[in-house]
Amino acid sequence: MNTFDKYFPIIGKVIDVELLKSDSIHRDAIILKLLELTEIKELSSELIKTNKRYNTPEKAIGNMVDWFSAEITKQSIVSLPWVNKYARRKITHSGRKVWEYSLNP
């Protein structure tokens, strides 16, 4: 099982749950929700041990959310369950451009 196979279903599930409550969710809010999950805390500690660039759980998880978005953009095989499920648009949040997700109509 590769890293994407571990993270992407969890990321998708978090987005789905939040979209039941709200019309949209952006990258940084997704990261905060993911960091609340015990499973993600364990997975992020693995990433931190194997990659020195990820010296905090926030950076490790942020990178996975960015990969999730990049794979959707590329419409890669690993992202196919989410390619047509979400509408995405770039928004400015905290002075940065980030993806915001909503359900595709």
Side-chain angles (χ1 to χ4, degrees):
M1 180 178 271
N2 72 36
T3 303
F4 294 161
D5 292 336
K6 292 178 186 177
Y7 280 93
F8 285 12
I10 301 168
I11 294 168
K13 185 174 181 176
V14 164
I15 294 170
D16 290 346
V17 167
E18 292 306 310
L19 292 180
L20 292 173
K21 303 174 200 173
S22 178
D23 290 340
S24 65
I25 185 169
H26 60 77
R27 173 205 184 264
D28 294 349
I30 295 166
I31 294 166
L32 292 175
K33 292 294 179 185
L34 286 165
L35 288 169
E36 294 173 2
L37 303 175
T38 302
E39 182 179 7
I40 287 294
K41 289 177 187 173
E42 293 168 2
L43 287 172
S44 69
S45 67
E46 289 176 26
L47 274 179
I48 291 167
K49 286 177 189 173
T50 60
N51 193 323
K52 300 297 181 204
R53 289 183 303 157
Y54 310 133
N55 54 1
T56 66
E58 292 81 6
K59 286 184 180 178
I61 300 308
N63 191 60
M64 282 301 110
V65 173
D66 292 341
W67 274 108
F68 182 81
S69 230
E71 294 300 310
I72 289 174
T73 299
K74 293 190 302 188
Q75 297 186 357
S76 69
I77 291 173
V78 71
S79 71
L80 289 180
W82 304 283
V83 167
N84 294 315
K85 185 173 194 174
Y86 303 125
R88 297 177 307 139
R89 67 183 183 110
K90 285 281 188 170
I91 63 164
T92 301
H93 175 73
S94 298
R96 296 182 358 262
K97 295 275 186 186
V98 297
W99 284 111
E100 178 182 67
Y101 292 78
S102 59
L103 288 175
N104 241 342

